[in-house]
Amino acid sequence: MTAATFAPENLSKRVSPGTAVRNTLTLAWRNLVQIKHNPMELLDLSIQPIMFVLLFAYVFGPPMAGSVEKYLPVVIPGIIAQNALFAGMSTGFGLNTDITKGVFDRFRSLPISRSAPLAGRIIADTAKQAWSMTILLGVGFAIGFRVETNVFALLTAFVLLLTFAVLFSWTSVFIAMKVNEPEKVQIFGFVVIFPLSFLSTAFIPSTKGIPHWLAFIMDNSPVTQLVEAMRGLLIGGPVLEHAWIALAWGVGISLVFAPLSLRAFKQRA
């Protein structure tokens, strides 16, 4: 491929909204089809959630709740929320991989929407997150977890989780645009997501007994709000207030990182 391929006059022009949507869906499908050629990606989306559920349920369940069955209503929603945050990091990892391997250079030589590669990646990863949540619930059902609400609440839980995950994923998109190696996106995930998920009620029923200053941080964490809303939707309890606060956190995060990500994307494109 010659340098002329990437000359300004050969770059894609502005396309119609309909064409942009088709381009986005095509690239989203491309990202999903890649799993067929890289089965390890699907294994990562499946094995890690299974491992987390089994380890937390059987290692922490008896000492924290008295039995695995009593701990499952606490830990399953928490692991689902934590897994969504980690899965959001895969968006940044995949974007940075495409950029560093020159895939985006090829996209820029095509008459497609400039935003399609970015939007297609986000849509595909959202579908992958839905798969991970399904796996988590399936494993939970197998070891005794039960949804105590109804089908509508379960579907609402899916929508809430995926919406928050998409909003939060802009953090990983921004990091992906600023670093030169996919591994650095993963480092960001471990440095930020682990403390954020554990400084919450994801794995404990409440902050009772925790020092007041730390309990304040945990009670007001976006992860805590998301987890409590998920618990309410799956097993019953308050939902609306927690859901609105979680979405407000997500919107605030996206309002900060989405413009920064798009600016960095245009600079790299």
Side-chain angles (χ1 to χ4, degrees):
M1 189 175 292
T2 64
T5 304
F6 303 110
E9 60 269 21
N10 292 326
L11 294 177
S12 57
K13 297 180 180 180
R14 187 180 298 275
V15 299
S16 67
T19 300
V21 171
R22 288 194 296 273
N23 295 157
T24 297
L25 294 178
T26 298
L27 291 179
W29 179 247
R30 168 249 179 194
N31 290 322
L32 291 174
V33 169
Q34 279 184 329
I35 296 177
K36 181 174 65 175
H37 305 290
N38 183 20
M40 287 302 298
E41 184 175 355
L42 186 60
L43 289 176
D44 288 341
L45 291 170
S46 305
I47 292 178
Q48 180 174 311
I50 294 173
M51 180 182 67
F52 267 65
V53 170
L54 296 179
L55 285 176
F56 274 90
Y58 287 99
V59 174
F60 295 104
M64 292 189 67
S67 68
V68 173
E69 291 75 16
K70 291 180 180 179
Y71 189 53
L72 289 177
V74 174
V75 75
I76 294 296
I79 293 180
I80 288 174
Q82 183 198 52
N83 188 72
L85 299 183
F86 273 109
M89 292 299 103
S90 67
T91 301
F93 183 88
L95 283 171
N96 191 270
T97 299
D98 283 346
I99 291 172
T100 54
K101 288 188 175 181
V103 176
F104 269 46
D105 289 337
R106 299 198 219 24
F107 288 151
R108 293 207 304 269
S109 69
L110 300 174
I112 63 174
S113 167
R114 291 292 189 85
S115 63
L118 177 58
R121 169 65 64 176
I122 293 174
I123 291 174
D125 288 338
T126 301
K128 294 174 185 178
Q129 294 209 30
W131 167 261
S132 292
M133 183 176 176
T134 302
I135 290 292
L136 284 167
L137 286 173
V139 176
F141 288 148
I143 61 176
F145 176 76
R146 294 294 180 266
V147 174
E148 299 176 14
T149 51
N150 52 55
V151 174
F152 176 76
L154 176 61
L155 294 177
T156 303
F158 266 90
V159 173
L160 174 63
L161 182 79
L162 297 179
T163 301
F164 183 87
V166 169
L167 294 171
F168 187 82
S169 68
W170 284 107
T171 58
S172 71
V173 172
F174 176 69
I175 297 299
M177 296 299 165
K178 304 302 289 186
V179 302
N180 56 4
E181 295 177 0
E183 290 73 17
K184 293 181 179 178
V185 181
Q186 288 184 317
I187 292 173
F188 166 78
F190 281 104
V191 170
V192 175
I193 303 304
F194 256 118
L196 191 61
S197 59
F198 280 97
L199 287 175
S200 71
T201 59
F203 308 109
I204 57 176
S206 70
T207 55
K208 184 179 180 180
I210 294 176
H212 295 301
W213 64 271
L214 184 57
F216 177 81
I217 294 174
M218 295 173 67
D219 287 336
N220 292 280
S221 164
V223 180
T224 291
Q225 301 302 322
L226 177 62
V227 169
E228 294 302 327
M230 292 290 293
R231 285 175 181 155
L233 289 166
L234 295 177
I235 62 175
V239 173
L240 194 58
E241 181 180 358
H242 294 301
W244 279 118
I245 295 175
L247 290 175
W249 268 105
V251 170
I253 290 170
S254 67
L255 287 176
V256 173
F257 286 99
L260 293 175
S261 299
L262 293 174
R263 181 184 301 176
F265 178 69
K266 291 178 180 178
Q267 291 173 348
R268 296 197 70 155

